[in-house]
Structures are given as C-alpha cells and as structure tokens.
Amino acid sequence: MSTHNSSHIKRITTHILQEMKQRGEKISMITAYDFSMAGIVDTAGIDMILVGDSASNVMAGHETTLPITLDQMIYHATSVVRGVNRAFVVVDIPFGSYQGNSSEALRSAIRIMKESGAHAVKVEGGAEIKESVVRILSAGVPVMGHLGLTPQSIYKFGTYTVRAKEKEEAKKLLEDAKVLEECGCFSLVLEKIPAKLAKEVAATVKIPVIGIGAGPHVDGQVLVLHDLLGITQEFQPRFLRQYADLRGTMLKAVGEYIKDIKAKDFPNEKESY
Ligand code: KIV
C-alpha cells in the first residue's frame, strides 16, 4: 500500500501503528459508517477508523450486531473510504461471514477489500477461528482480532457485562491473544475486560492492543462515534466518555427550524430567489 495519497498526506499503515506501540505513542481509533462523518474524524486526525458492525445498532436500529449483512458492511465501508485521506480503515466482517468456514472467510475478506478499498478487516474470536484468520492472512489481507466482550456472541454470553473476570476465562483470553499474534494479526481489540488483564495482554503481545472498556494500560482506545458524540444517549456504560451532546444540539436546531417554518419566518427574502 502506498503511504502517500494525492494530497501528500502520510497515510497510517500497519507498520506505523507498530512503531507507535514501540515508542509508547497511544493510538486513537473511532467508528464511522458514512462519508461525511469519516471525513470529519479523519480531518480531526484520528489514526484508525473502524467501520464497525455496530452500524447494525447505531445506523440500522437493530438490537444486536447480528443482522447486518456483508453487502451492508461493504456499503458503509465504501462510503467511509471515500471520505478518508490519512486514517487506516478497518472493517468488521459481519456475523455468519467467516466463522466455521475458512473459504467463506477468505471470500468475505476479499470482497470487503476489493469492493470498498479498506485497509484491513476485523474478526471476533480466538483459537476457534484460527483457520479463518490464517486463510485471510494468506491472501495478504491485514487482520485485526477482537477478544473479551465479542458482541457477535451476545446470545452465548447472555449479557453485556464485563468478560474474563474469572481466572479460567482470563487465561483463555491471554492464550487467544497469543494465538492471534502468532497467526500474524497486526492488532487486537480488547472489549470490556478488567484493566489488569488488558495490561498483561498488551505487555505480552508485540502487536498494538486497542481497548474499549479495557482500561488505560493498552496501546490505544476505540469508541463508537455516536456514543462519544452523545447521539445515542440511552447507552451509558462506565467506560464511555461523552464528549458532546449532539442529540441535544440537533433537537434544538431542528426544533428551531420547525418553529421558523410554522411562523412563516423561513425562508425570508434574502433566502429566496
Ligand atoms: O462494531 C464495533 O463498533 C466494534 C467496537 C465496539 C470495537 O467492534
């Protein structure tokens, strides 16, 4: 992949992310699902954009990430890639498009890369999806792992509470992290696990570890854009820092627009031809 685009902005690559971990520079990551938002977060200087299957929740209104399809993920990813000049774009392979069948996993990853122009894919799980991960990597597609609370398995967990608090699950998570690193994954997301365990994982593996609800001792952080902007206000987990109240701002703006129309104040003479 070229590290330069037409406007000579140095693109983030897996190599740069690795160097950031080595020199202790924290990596910033955020989700985006469309052209306009991707352009804003890229301009703000974000290092990585995740076209998360959380699009199923925040864009489509589903209760879980399970219903979103490969075609829908490709649509979101294609829109995001068009808005980005610098950030490294990772796309979630959706539920049912990679687990248990490495040929299908490879086909899904190739479709995402070829049709969207994204830079990497993300998959949820450890040793149990090793074959799929290896197959995707063998085609030269960078893979990001995702351990801890893996929302595609929500019906197995039955709850969105903190994962790997017990010794046995913590041990398996650390082993899975090593498996993913050995396979050749370039990075790893840890979701909603104790900070102490996340610290141990980040110190054990050499690849960048990005946390969400995994404490401060990892190599970077990721949040869902709509959550940190205060668009989705019903979702208030402890790990979320809300940086804006866009829902409030939007309600006020649209309310004023409606009021001006009703009052026959909009459009005025200057706003007419
Ligand atoms: O889909 C998503 O947004 C994610 C993040 C929560 C890491 O996987």
Side-chain angles (χ1 to χ4, degrees):
M1 182 178 61
S2 161
T3 55
H4 292 83
N5 65 5
S6 52
S7 51
H8 302 292
I9 293 170
K10 194 172 185 199
R11 274 198 183 277
I12 301 289
T13 62
T14 54
H15 184 68
I16 289 173
L17 294 167
Q18 186 63 54
E19 285 177 343
M20 287 169 82
K21 170 160 181 148
Q22 275 157 10
R23 64 171 179 267
E25 180 183 340
K26 297 284 185 185
I27 298 166
S28 60
M29 187 178 197
I30 203 166
T31 67
Y33 317 98
D34 67 79
F35 170 80
S36 303
M37 292 289 184
I40 293 170
V41 299
D42 188 57
T43 303
I46 203 81
D47 298 314
M48 296 172 90
I49 294 177
L50 173 64
V51 184
D53 57 2
S54 49
S56 180
N57 309 106
V58 297
M59 300 301 288
H62 293 296
E63 208 174 301
T64 73
T65 59
L66 275 66
I68 200 158
T69 66
L70 184 59
D71 283 337
Q72 288 165 341
M73 286 304 297
I74 290 171
Y75 167 77
H76 287 297
T78 307
S79 309
V80 165
V81 168
R82 279 191 216 110
V84 170
N85 285 315
R86 174 181 173 273
F88 189 80
V89 180
V90 183
V91 183
D92 265 327
I93 309 188
F95 175 69
S97 309
Y98 65 95
Q99 300 99 330
N101 182 336
S102 61
S103 304
E104 191 181 4
L106 179 61
R107 261 197 309 279
S108 302
I110 286 179
R111 274 202 63 200
I112 288 171
M113 300 297 283
K114 209 187 239 307
E115 296 177 36
S116 75
H119 311 130
V121 297
K122 177 165 84 57
V123 288
E124 296 183 6
E128 63 281 1
I129 58 154
K130 184 177 169 184
E131 206 183 306
S132 292
V133 171
V134 169
R135 194 85 189 267
I136 298 169
L137 284 162
S138 73
V141 176
V143 178
M144 184 175 210
H146 184 156
L147 299 171
L149 178 64
T150 47
Q152 292 180 8
S153 306
I154 191 58
Y155 290 117
K156 187 176 93 184
F157 299 146
T159 158
Y160 284 98
T161 54
V162 181
R163 303 302 311 174
K165 277 175 33 187
E166 304 305 324
K167 226 174 165 182
E168 206 52 34
E169 196 182 336
K171 188 165 162 270
K172 159 117 172 68
L173 190 144
L174 186 56
E175 277 162 15
D176 281 340
K178 288 187 211 160
V179 166
L180 293 172
E181 178 180 42
E182 278 158 23
C183 286
C185 285
F186 76 95
S187 180
L188 193 58
V189 166
L190 294 181
E191 181 166 354
K192 222 170 175 187
I193 63 165
K196 193 163 165 271
L197 174 61
K199 183 180 182 181
E200 190 182 352
V201 174
T204 304
V205 299
K206 294 198 167 48
I207 55 176
V209 173
I210 311 296
I212 173 166
H217 312 293
V218 286
D219 306 304
Q221 300 291 331
V222 59
L223 282 176
V224 169
L225 180 68
H226 290 58
D227 297 338
L228 80 89
L229 292 181
I231 297 173
T232 47
Q233 295 206 331
E234 64 286 355
F235 184 65
Q236 299 278 356
R238 174 165 156 182
F239 67 74
L240 174 65
R241 188 177 293 180
Q242 197 180 303
Y243 286 86
D245 173 23
L246 280 204
R247 184 179 153 81
T249 304
M250 289 172 78
L251 280 173
K252 187 164 175 289
V254 177
E256 278 169 20
Y257 170 61
I258 295 167
K259 198 168 93 271
D260 288 351
I261 294 171
K262 301 288 180 190
K264 301 180 180 145
D265 176 58
F266 177 80
N268 61 25
E269 232 174 87
K270 276 194 197 153
E271 288 157 339
S272 306
Y273 297 97

